[in-house]
Amino acid sequence: MLITSLIFGPLFLAWDTFAVFLCSTGATLLLGHSVGFHRRLIHRSFACSLWLERLLIWIGTCVGMSGPFWMVRTHDLRDWAQRQPDCHDYLAHRGGMLRDYVWQLHCRLILTNPPGFDLGVMGKDSFYRLLEQTWMLQQLPIAALLFAAGGWGWVIWGVCVRVATSVTGHWFIGHLAHTRGPQSWAVVDAGVQAHDIPWAAIPTMGEAWHNNHHAYPGSAKIGIHPGQSDLGYAFINLLERVGLAWNVILPQHLDRAEKIRRL
């Protein structure tokens, strides 16, 4: 995706192809990655009907990082490791930006004693199992629709550039969020502390307030301080208003007094 984007992206750059890139990237990151994968599937920070959850998870799979099972396993492993006093450099994003880029996007972490994962009901869901097995192929129907609507330029910018930007951007924000930036909270005894990336709040749909997320990981609202943009929570709030989401968890619903301290 990255090589195709670098070679053919400039050749097909136009106002319409760039608009397709912005709209498709924003939609998949908001509905799929932020709301579907992170706040619903991983943290269960709100409840919704199964049909809506499946739709959001399919959109999240179309972001292009991986299937739902891999996302849950990777997140939970990293989350557990970062709470330990001694976290491996790979899981802590240490060692410099260049090495972290190579490690995170081009290498695989192989553990001598890997943890077991109980995916529960999700692991038995035939739809999620299909997505896990075919996550790369989910780009094909999108590419077909884009080709029919706008030709190869829409495919290049609506699939290749979108996926390359989303995957690389996810690593880049993750690297910054664990190495530098402002902090409001510290997690007691955690080996890795999180940071906020204010300039990335809008393109990440609120996920860039990562210091808040480490403090209140189960909260559907990540931008918890005044002036902190959180489009992911805004969408969940909209779902709640129209009756499509309920049991929305907020920071005040979580007992974190002994686990965090204010900086």
Side-chain angles (χ1 to χ4, degrees):
M1 291 292 183
L2 179 60
I3 293 174
T4 302
S5 300
L6 292 175
I7 295 176
F8 295 102
L11 300 178
F12 288 97
L13 177 60
W15 287 111
D16 63 323
T17 58
F18 188 68
V20 168
F21 162 74
L22 286 180
C23 292
S24 60
T25 303
T28 53
L29 289 178
L30 172 61
L31 305 179
H33 181 74
S34 179
V35 176
F37 268 167
H38 196 204
R39 309 193 202 203
R40 170 57 191 168
L41 192 67
I42 293 174
H43 287 290
R44 299 286 172 176
S45 61
F46 69 96
C48 65
S49 300
L50 182 59
W51 70 266
L52 179 57
E53 177 185 292
R54 286 178 170 176
L55 175 61
L56 294 172
I57 298 310
W58 176 76
I59 298 174
T61 302
C62 292
V63 171
M65 283 189 283
S66 192
F69 297 167
W70 184 90
M71 293 294 292
V72 171
R73 291 189 184 103
T74 300
H75 181 281
D76 285 3
L77 174 62
R78 191 180 304 275
D79 187 55
W80 175 87
Q82 290 176 352
R83 290 197 304 268
Q84 309 311 306
D86 185 15
C87 179
H88 191 281
D89 286 354
Y90 175 90
L91 296 165
H93 293 277
R94 296 193 195 99
M97 186 172 292
L98 179 60
R99 190 178 77 168
D100 195 56
Y101 169 79
V102 174
W103 273 9
Q104 300 293 332
L105 295 184
H106 303 286
C107 297
R108 177 177 300 177
L109 178 66
I110 300 177
L111 302 176
T112 304
N113 298 299
F117 287 93
D118 182 5
L119 295 172
V121 176
M122 180 188 67
K124 301 176 182 178
D125 190 299
S126 58
F127 179 70
Y128 293 150
R129 292 169 66 124
L130 176 64
L131 290 184
E132 185 69 18
Q133 295 169 356
T134 64
W135 65 273
M136 288 187 182
L137 300 178
Q138 299 304 317
Q139 304 299 333
L140 295 180
I142 299 175
L145 290 174
L146 291 174
F147 181 78
W152 283 113
W154 282 32
V155 175
I156 297 298
W157 280 85
V159 176
C160 299
V161 179
R162 170 180 59 81
V163 171
T165 301
S166 297
V167 174
T168 306
H170 181 266
W171 158 76
F172 181 60
I173 297 301
H175 175 82
L176 296 180
H178 295 101
T179 56
R180 68 202 72 179
Q183 295 175 301
S184 301
W185 316 92
V187 179
V188 177
D189 296 331
V192 179
Q193 300 293 335
H195 303 257
D196 290 332
I197 317 295
W199 60 265
I202 293 179
T204 63
M205 310 302 162
E207 299 289 334
W209 305 114
H210 204 61
N211 183 250
N212 293 341
H213 178 60
H214 272 224
Y216 297 97
S219 173
K221 186 177 184 180
I222 301 178
I224 62 178
H225 299 306
Q228 292 185 337
S229 172
D230 189 349
L231 295 178
Y233 173 69
F235 182 74
I236 295 173
N237 190 33
L238 176 62
L239 292 178
E240 185 179 28
R241 288 176 178 271
V242 299
L244 293 178
W246 54 90
N247 295 338
V248 179
I249 300 174
L250 299 177
Q252 57 265 33
H253 301 147
L254 302 171
D255 184 13
R256 299 285 291 171
E258 297 182 359
K259 298 178 181 179
I260 61 175
R261 59 184 176 87
R262 188 70 182 263
L263 298 178

